[in-house]
Amino acid sequence: MKKLLNLAVLLLLAAPAAALEISGVNPAEVKGAAKADFAFSGVTLKNVAWEKGAVVMPVTDNKGKKYNDIKLLSKGLYARFEACFKNGCAPAKPGAAPKVKISAPKALKSPARVANAELTFDGELLVVVGVMASKKEEGAFWVAFPRDLEFTDPALKSAVESAVIAAWTKKK
């Protein structure tokens, strides 16, 4: 029995820490709220809704078309959102900035939005961003983020923008 207990403790200690810990919520009393903004280290996700007993991610509406450009990839993050809406939540201390992985950009036929790239934050949250051709400077690009994703760490935002543009110019 003691060996099993030691093994269980060892496995718990060896398990990776939960990624994307919620470090802030607006409104502070999220229990029972219809919508809330959730802050993580360096990033805030706005307008996450609680509808009919389910967590609903924000949707971008552009010229009558709806785009699901923010998606949950893990049941763990969904469960953390759900727990906050049902029971309220005590935010964790901000930790390290999330690890961001960038997929290869996919070219589009638009002259303005030339490509889409997918960003994954700690493997739990997927965000689709646009690579936009600059109208002011030929051959220059900038990154369009969904309205409901806000970077609170300017260095993280700059690093992500640079990596997305580098991935696009490398592919091109």
Side-chain angles (χ1 to χ4, degrees):
M1 182 69 169
K2 186 176 179 182
K3 287 183 181 179
L4 285 175
L5 184 58
N6 286 341
L7 179 62
V9 169
L10 181 63
L11 289 175
L12 285 175
L13 292 175
L20 282 184
E21 289 298 323
I22 298 169
S23 61
V25 181
N26 186 19
E29 184 56 42
V30 70
K31 181 180 179 181
K35 285 188 178 183
D37 300 343
F38 291 90
F40 308 101
S41 292
V43 180
T44 299
L45 184 56
K46 296 181 169 200
N47 296 315
V48 177
W50 179 251
E51 296 176 5
K52 300 179 184 176
V55 175
V56 179
M57 300 309 291
V59 175
T60 300
D61 188 357
N62 185 22
K63 298 179 184 175
K65 291 186 178 182
K66 296 191 184 293
Y67 299 95
N68 295 319
D69 49 10
I70 300 175
K71 301 174 186 175
L72 294 174
L73 297 176
S74 79
K75 291 179 183 179
L77 184 56
Y78 181 94
R80 290 191 291 280
F81 285 152
E82 182 179 42
C84 284
F85 281 115
K86 284 183 173 179
N87 309 317
C89 58
K93 290 183 182 179
K99 292 180 183 172
V100 181
K101 182 180 175 190
I102 301 166
S103 70
K106 296 176 182 93
L108 302 173
K109 294 179 182 177
S110 168
R113 187 173 181 135
V114 295
N116 280 341
E118 293 180 346
L119 310 177
T120 56
F121 292 84
D122 284 339
E124 292 194 308
L125 183 68
L126 179 124
V127 177
V128 178
V129 299
V131 178
M132 310 296 288
S134 174
K135 292 180 180 177
K136 295 178 182 177
E137 187 179 335
E138 186 152 339
F141 302 97
W142 58 279
V143 179
F145 294 97
R147 268 178 245 154
D148 294 310
L149 181 76
E150 179 181 287
F151 284 88
T152 54
D153 180 358
L156 177 62
K157 181 178 183 181
S158 178
V160 169
E161 287 173 328
S162 296
V164 169
I165 292 169
W168 170 245
T169 55
K170 180 181 176 184
K171 179 177 178 163
K172 203 177 150 191

